[in-house]
Structure formats: structure tokens, C-alpha cells
Amino acid sequence: LVLDQVGGSADPRAAELLFRVGDVDQAADQWLQLAREAAARGALRSADELLERVELTGRRAAAATTQRVELLTLSGRAADALSLGTAALLSVSGPDYVDLCLLLAHAAISVGRFTDAEDLVARSGRTAEPRSLILLADAAHGLSRVDEAARLAVEAVQGARQSGPPAVLCEALCAEARSERLHRVDRAAACFAEAARTAAEHGLAPWAVEANFGLATLELLRDESPRTLRQVRKTAENF
């Protein structure tokens, strides 16, 4: 009845009502989904507040830890994310284990631990999925295996076009662009531009910033006026 009254999807009103009537598990699920959605659009403060609600319930501990690792990484605290997530891996299983491995791989790349990132992707057991291919491409690029990075990024884009959500396609396009920008500038620009369009269409502010920042770096390589960089700053300030 509560879900029918508020529309059936993740909604802060639904979560609060569910919590008040004692359905704590469903309330935690609602808050987790809202936290994920907030993180995807770059509203990190809102995501943190929603995740704190979940953590206070003591429910969905594995999923909450996984989401906390993502938030820490997005907030520039990748080392903290690695510390928290690595300790949790021993007690997590199923889909949460896969997600946690891949999020930890992302955090590892953020701090330059590329071999560790490759190991974490392998531990996930999902090395052929677009998310994994993106991480492996970034790790290979960080280890100066440029041709391998380009190949993996192209495979990631192809897979994301077929089955990935928009955020994964944006990430894959940015990975391909990074692998190409010193050798095929036009191709890199096309990838960044498509990622920017996709991010704008789906309200994915973090990927809009990432893609437009990439375009700005290409403008600098071409000695052009970095007008895109000013646009990136405006977008980032709205987070």
C-alpha cells in the first residue's frame, strides 16, 4: 500500500513511510537506490546523506559498503575506499562481491596501482563485461601498454552499446578517447564528444565533466583557446 501511494519506484517519501511502519529492509533498499542515483548525477552530498540512513539501519551491510567505496572514490578519497573495501571483501558474496571488486579496481587506478586493479578485475570473475574492459584498458594504459589499452577500450565501447547503461557507455567512450588522444586526435575528440552528448541526455553530470574536460585537453594540444575548459568549470561548480 505504501509503495502504491508513492508510485512504486525509489522515492524518499516511500523510504520514510516504509521505515515508520517497520519495513526497515525495504526502506534501506529505497535509500540505497536513491543514493546510487544521486551519485550517478554527481550529487555526492545527497548520496552521502542517503547512504548514512542505510548505514544507521544496520541492514544491507554489503551493498552499503559497496556504495560507500564508490562515494569515497568519487570524492577523491580513493585510498580510504581501498582500505574500507579490501577489508570487506572477505565477508561479501554474490553480486555485491563483483561490484566491490570492480569499484576497488577503479579506486586502485585512481591512485596509480594498476597491477592491483588488474588483479581485482580478475577476482571479480567478469573480465569480459564492459565495466571490466574499461578498467583493464585504463590499467593497461597506466602500465604503458598503449595498443592493448586501445583494443580493450574499443571492445568496451562495443559491449556498452549493446547492453550497458548510459553511464557505462560514457565511461567506455572516455577510456577509448584517452587511449587515442596522443595518436588519433580526431578519433579521441569524437569519443569525448559522444560521451558528453550521452551524459547530457541522461543527466550524468560527472561524465559530462569528464568528457568535456577531455575535449578541453585536446583543445590545448591543438593550441586552441580552451573555451570548453570554462564550460567544464561551470558544470563542476553546480555539483
Side-chain angles (χ1 to χ4, degrees):
L1 177 60
V2 171
L3 288 177
D4 288 342
Q5 288 174 339
V6 294
S9 61
D11 185 288
R13 295 169 298 166
E16 191 63 37
L17 287 169
L18 286 164
F19 184 76
R20 288 180 181 179
V21 299
D23 196 342
V24 181
D25 285 337
Q26 281 205 56
D29 288 339
Q30 294 275 310
W31 282 321
L32 268 171
Q33 183 59 34
L34 289 163
R36 294 185 186 107
E37 292 170 358
R41 65 176 184 269
L44 301 187
R45 183 176 299 176
S46 294
D48 180 68
E49 292 172 354
L50 288 160
L51 187 55
E52 284 182 354
R53 299 295 300 271
V54 179
E55 291 166 339
L56 287 171
T57 69
R59 310 294 176 87
R60 308 300 192 233
T65 297
T66 300
Q67 187 62 33
R68 178 61 67 190
V69 167
E70 181 178 21
L71 278 181
L72 287 170
T73 304
L74 291 172
S75 302
R77 298 171 59 191
D80 292 336
L82 283 166
S83 179
L84 173 65
T86 302
L89 271 178
L90 294 176
S91 59
V92 175
S93 60
D96 288 322
Y97 178 83
V98 174
D99 288 341
L100 185 53
C101 283
L102 297 182
L103 288 168
L104 285 171
H106 187 189
I109 288 170
S110 297
V111 295
R113 291 168 53 178
F114 304 115
T115 301
D116 288 343
E118 291 179 325
D119 291 342
L120 284 159
V121 172
R123 289 177 68 177
S124 77
R126 304 293 178 85
T127 55
E129 292 186 358
R131 289 185 303 165
S132 298
L133 292 169
I134 293 164
L135 293 163
L136 292 172
D138 284 340
H141 193 270
L143 293 166
S144 300
R145 304 197 308 259
V146 180
D147 291 341
E148 179 185 353
R151 175 181 60 79
L152 290 166
V154 169
E155 291 178 12
V157 170
Q158 292 171 345
R161 289 194 194 283
Q162 294 173 3
S163 60
V168 174
L169 178 57
C170 289
E171 189 174 5
L173 287 164
C174 287
E176 182 178 353
R178 287 192 296 271
S179 70
E180 297 285 5
R181 62 181 161 192
L182 295 180
H183 307 286
R184 299 171 61 199
V185 176
D186 289 344
R187 175 58 190 164
C191 288
F192 278 134
E194 183 181 352
R197 290 194 301 272
T198 303
E201 179 182 353
H202 295 279
L204 303 171
W207 289 112
V209 170
E210 178 82 12
N212 282 303
F213 183 78
L215 285 171
T217 64
L218 296 181
E219 290 175 359
L220 292 173
L221 286 173
R222 291 167 166 168
D223 294 325
E224 297 177 6
S225 174
R227 57 187 179 279
T228 305
L229 198 57
R230 291 189 288 271
Q231 295 172 359
V232 171
R233 180 176 179 178
K234 290 180 180 178
T235 302
E237 286 173 346
N238 291 326
F239 274 16

